[in-house]
Amino acid sequence: MKKIKSNYFFSNLNFIYSIFFDFSNQSEYRKVGSVSLFVICALIVFIIQWVAFIPAFLFRSDYFFDFIGTLTFLLVIIFALFFANSQDLISILLGILIIIWAFRLGTFLFLRVKTKGYDSRFSVIKTDFLIFFTVWNLQGLWILFTISSGLIA
């Protein structure tokens, strides 16, 4: 079982690495300096997830999981809007719609956990480092996949 967890963990890291590698030299994507805006946003997503994971694991808490996901969405889209080379009406409108959607979803999820006092999805997994870390990485991947069409547009 431990070997399966380890393989799953490293396959997630390999997938994350491939995202950075594939988009790092694409000239058709927006850039900040010489680095793709998509890669910078992907780094922001995962750094936030990894930093937030540390206290979540140490305190065996899932209380802020959905809040961190929402905060990540908001920070990344605001960063992308601010640092994008072109800030046309479509990009601004798309960014505003993503912000509204992320805020609505995040508020619902956070209040649901706050009202109930816990999130039953995490009852067992928050005690296992590799599985809990993988869940935080999967949240990062979900954020990146969900926001990627907006970042590339």
Side-chain angles (χ1 to χ4, degrees):
M1 179 69 170
K2 190 166 184 116
K3 184 173 172 65
I4 293 171
K5 287 182 197 176
S6 177
N7 288 341
Y8 188 64
F9 172 74
F10 286 112
S11 68
N12 280 329
L13 289 181
N14 187 33
F15 184 71
I16 293 167
Y17 173 77
S18 69
I19 289 171
F20 297 126
F21 182 74
D22 288 342
F23 284 97
S24 62
N25 293 317
Q26 301 294 326
S27 61
E28 65 266 11
Y29 296 111
R30 296 179 178 165
K31 300 217 179 226
V32 177
S34 63
V35 181
S36 163
L37 179 65
F38 186 86
V39 170
I40 294 171
C41 290
L43 283 171
I44 292 170
V45 166
F46 287 104
I47 288 170
I48 291 171
Q49 298 305 302
W50 295 335
V51 168
F53 165 77
I54 294 168
F57 182 73
L58 292 175
F59 296 112
R60 306 290 193 261
S61 173
D62 56 86
Y63 195 69
F64 292 103
F65 182 79
D66 295 318
F67 175 75
I68 294 298
T70 300
L71 183 65
T72 304
F73 256 109
L74 296 174
L75 290 175
V76 168
I77 203 63
I78 290 168
F79 175 86
L81 284 171
F82 187 74
F83 284 100
N85 294 337
S86 64
Q87 294 176 335
D88 57 2
L89 182 61
I90 298 295
S91 296
I92 294 169
L93 180 61
L94 185 59
I96 290 170
L97 291 173
I98 292 171
I99 289 169
I100 291 169
W101 174 82
F103 186 75
R104 186 216 47 91
L105 178 64
T107 303
F108 166 75
L109 293 172
F110 182 71
L111 292 176
R112 183 186 67 177
V113 171
K114 186 175 180 189
T115 302
K116 194 173 180 183
Y118 65 95
D119 190 336
S120 60
R121 300 175 296 172
F122 293 98
S123 297
V124 174
I125 63 174
K126 65 184 174 185
T127 60
D128 186 310
F129 178 87
L130 286 178
I131 293 175
F132 200 39
F133 186 67
T134 299
V135 168
W136 282 84
N137 279 310
L138 289 174
Q139 175 169 265
L141 283 172
W142 179 78
I143 291 167
L144 191 60
F145 287 159
T146 306
I147 207 168
S148 64
S149 60
L151 292 175
I152 294 171

